[in-house]
Amino acid sequence: AASAPKPLPSSGPKSLREMPHPLATSSSEEMGPALTPSPDLLLPRSIADKDLSLPNGTPVDTSSPASSSSLLNRLQLDDDLDVETRDLFVTVDDPKKHVCTMETYITYRVTTKTTRAEFDLPEYSVRRRYQDFDWLRNKLEESQPTHLIPPLPEKFVVKGVVDRFSEEFVETRRKALDKFLKRITDHPVLSFNEHFNVFLTAKDLNAYKKQGMALLSKMGESVKYVTGGYKLRSRPLEFAAIGDYLDTFSLKLGTIDRIAQRIIKEQLEYLVELREYGPVYSTWGGLEVELSEPLEGVSACIGNCCTALEELSEDMTEDFLPVLREYTLYAESMKNVLKKRDQVQAEYEAKLEAVALKREDRPKVPTDVEKCQDRVECFNADLKADMERWQNNKRQDFRQLLMGMADKNIQYYEK
């Protein structure tokens, strides 16, 4: 008899360390020492209870969507419910190739629509090249050191693509740049950064680059000039857990990426064989008049297989791999913010020790020590908020990615 369905795990009000690590395997030999738990691809309780408690593949609730496609569409609608509250929309499109005497490069149109008071106009349209996006990211890192800055796609390396002016490369990059700006737009702090405003609105960005806009905050300057002379005794447990989680996440993602690359390579090799295989039956059918109809049928079936497999491989290359790559880079960005946090804490600890050595009749704690403590607390709060936001984005992105991939495989085998 089928037992009652168990609800999926929920990301309810639990601490970071109480949650089971979703990427950990059951084998202790395989994983080595126990990993620090951390929330990952856990679904919200409402979805776990209503939609996905399926015993033996049968929906519990008759109103549940009939297929993974309709479920995916419904989830996407749920994710977009906050669209009405947004006041800034940015898109990247219309790539154009520019050929000059010194160089050849691609520019993209960046369109902004907004109702924010910080902008003089409700709509802007500017053209930007990759190095302008790179400038923006560097400026955000300098002026907002306590926050996680979304990653950019690497300058020249996109796996499986050689020609950086090919349509495939340009479109993959356009999608990545569009996502980069949307991540910043959705951030409650980064989206109000003055450099971001300039990037979206200035007709001539080079003028601002030359001025080297000295808009670094005091926080930015203090972090920028922290040297490596201070050594942190130990990370607080919650940040150590984040560091362990990021290491494991990167490791697992790297494994998935390698396997996905291998699958795509094997699919493409199989595709070459299929393309040669189909015409053989057509040729044979021309020689065997009585068998021509079934042989042509076999040839047509192989042609259908070719088309379906080609589409599946393209989906993996264009949709699946870029998300893995983005989150690998995202994890690296988060690790860099953690290192900056450690530097500020180490500086604070060193100053406290210095005060303790000098103190004789317990004078007041110096102002610079208090400022340093404020910086540590600011870093901690910003980092925790950004980590939570990143986890939420990751849950949505991977849920859509994996369900979409399942859909594509179902469609392939149906064809």
Side-chain angles (χ1 to χ4, degrees):
S3 59
K6 292 182 181 177
L8 286 174
S10 161
S11 58
K14 294 180 181 179
S15 72
L16 198 67
R17 291 183 293 280
E18 286 175 347
M19 296 193 179
H21 199 298
L23 297 175
T25 59
S26 56
S27 167
S28 57
E29 293 80 22
E30 188 176 81
M31 287 300 295
L35 291 162
T36 309
S38 180
D40 193 45
L41 304 176
L42 303 177
L43 297 175
R45 181 179 280 116
S46 60
I47 296 173
D49 293 342
K50 290 179 187 173
D51 300 326
L52 299 182
S53 299
L54 306 177
N56 303 324
T58 307
V60 176
D61 184 355
T62 53
S63 66
S64 292
S67 72
S68 55
S69 294
S70 53
L71 177 59
L72 178 60
N73 291 335
R74 193 163 130 194
L75 290 172
Q76 287 172 329
L77 285 173
D78 290 343
D79 294 337
D80 290 338
L81 287 178
D82 63 334
V83 167
E84 293 177 8
T85 64
R86 293 181 189 171
D87 54 8
L88 181 63
F89 297 86
V90 180
T91 55
V92 178
D93 61 8
D94 189 30
K96 284 186 180 174
K97 187 175 180 180
H98 301 260
V99 181
C100 306
T101 50
M102 298 294 289
E103 62 175 339
T104 301
Y105 59 93
I106 305 288
T107 65
Y108 303 84
R109 180 174 62 191
V110 178
T111 306
T112 306
K113 295 182 181 180
T114 182
T115 55
R116 288 188 182 180
E118 294 81 22
F119 293 85
D120 297 327
L121 301 172
E123 191 168 336
Y124 294 87
S125 181
V126 295
R127 295 204 73 83
R128 298 285 182 252
R129 56 187 295 188
Y130 178 87
Q131 65 183 31
D132 298 331
F133 288 85
D134 195 39
W135 171 86
L136 171 63
R137 191 178 190 283
N138 288 333
K139 285 297 180 184
L140 289 174
E141 275 199 327
E142 286 177 6
S143 55
Q144 311 280 176
T146 63
H147 287 287
L148 172 62
I149 312 300
L152 272 176
E154 297 101 329
K155 187 157 189 180
F156 295 116
V157 181
V158 172
K159 292 178 180 178
V161 178
V162 178
D163 179 11
R164 67 190 182 97
F165 297 113
S166 69
E167 285 185 21
E168 293 85 357
F169 181 95
V170 171
E171 178 58 17
T172 300
R173 172 166 285 182
R174 184 203 65 76
K175 286 180 181 175
L177 295 176
D178 183 71
K179 184 169 277 189
F180 168 71
L181 291 188
K182 281 181 168 57
R183 301 277 196 211
I184 298 171
T185 302
D186 292 340
H187 196 284
V189 177
L190 300 180
S191 64
F192 287 93
N193 185 279
E194 195 164 344
H195 298 296
F196 187 45
N197 186 309
V198 167
F199 176 87
L200 297 178
T201 61
K203 286 294 179 189
D204 181 16
L205 196 60
N206 288 325
Y208 287 91
K209 289 181 181 178
K210 288 169 186 171
Q211 289 171 16
M213 297 167 65
L215 296 176
L216 281 183
S217 64
K218 290 179 181 177
M219 180 72 195
E221 287 171 349
S222 62
V223 173
K224 189 177 177 184
Y225 297 116
V226 168
T227 63
Y230 303 111
K231 189 169 176 65
L232 183 67
R233 288 200 201 89
S234 64
R235 272 181 183 164
L237 283 176
E238 58 186 327
F239 295 110
I242 291 174
D244 291 344
Y245 169 75
L246 291 170
D247 288 340
T248 307
F249 179 68
S250 299
L251 188 69
K252 294 291 182 183
L253 219 53
T255 303
I256 295 171
D257 184 62
R258 283 194 302 276
I259 294 171
Q261 298 264 13
R262 197 159 67 234
I263 289 171
I264 291 171
K265 181 173 178 286
E266 290 171 359
Q267 284 178 343
L268 294 177
E269 289 171 354
Y270 180 44
L271 198 55
V272 171
E273 300 295 338
L274 277 181
R275 282 177 181 147
E276 293 178 4
Y277 188 43
V280 172
Y281 286 91
S282 296
T283 310
W284 183 10
L287 299 173
E288 300 266 7
V289 180
E290 293 177 0
L291 294 175
S292 62
E293 190 176 337
L295 289 173
E296 284 294 342
V298 173
S299 181
C301 284
I302 294 171
N304 288 342
C305 287
C306 280
T307 306
L309 184 60
E310 194 169 13
E311 288 172 0
L312 189 67
S313 298
E314 282 176 5
D315 286 329
M316 280 196 74
T317 304
E318 295 170 13
D319 298 333
F320 190 75
L321 291 182
V323 175
L324 297 184
R325 190 64 198 142
E326 184 200 11
Y327 272 93
T328 301
L329 295 172
Y330 236 139
E332 291 305 312
S333 297
M334 181 62 90
K335 288 178 189 177
N336 289 334
V337 180
L338 262 179
K339 285 176 187 173
K340 290 179 190 172
R341 193 217 72 85
D342 290 349
Q343 284 183 330
V344 174
Q345 185 184 336
E347 180 189 13
Y348 171 60
E349 288 177 356
K351 286 186 176 180
L352 267 185
E353 281 183 10
V355 169
L357 289 172
K358 292 175 185 174
R359 186 159 41 185
E360 293 174 2
D361 22 89
R362 305 182 69 78
K364 189 181 172 189
V365 177
T367 311
D368 65 327
V369 178
E370 290 179 344
K371 284 182 179 176
C372 199
Q373 182 182 8
D374 290 344
R375 287 202 299 272
V376 173
E377 290 173 358
C378 176
F379 234 123
N380 290 351
D382 289 348
L383 183 56
K384 283 192 277 191
D386 279 3
M387 183 67 180
E388 184 178 349
R389 186 176 296 105
W390 181 70
Q391 289 282 20
N392 288 335
N393 286 339
K394 181 161 59 62
R395 274 194 290 273
Q396 289 181 16
D397 289 347
F398 274 87
R399 188 198 314 156
Q400 291 184 13
L401 180 75
L402 297 173
M403 291 179 70
M405 187 186 172
D407 270 353
K408 296 284 169 50
N409 275 276
I410 290 167
Q411 291 161 15
Y412 166 72
Y413 285 106
E414 283 175 346
K415 288 174 187 173

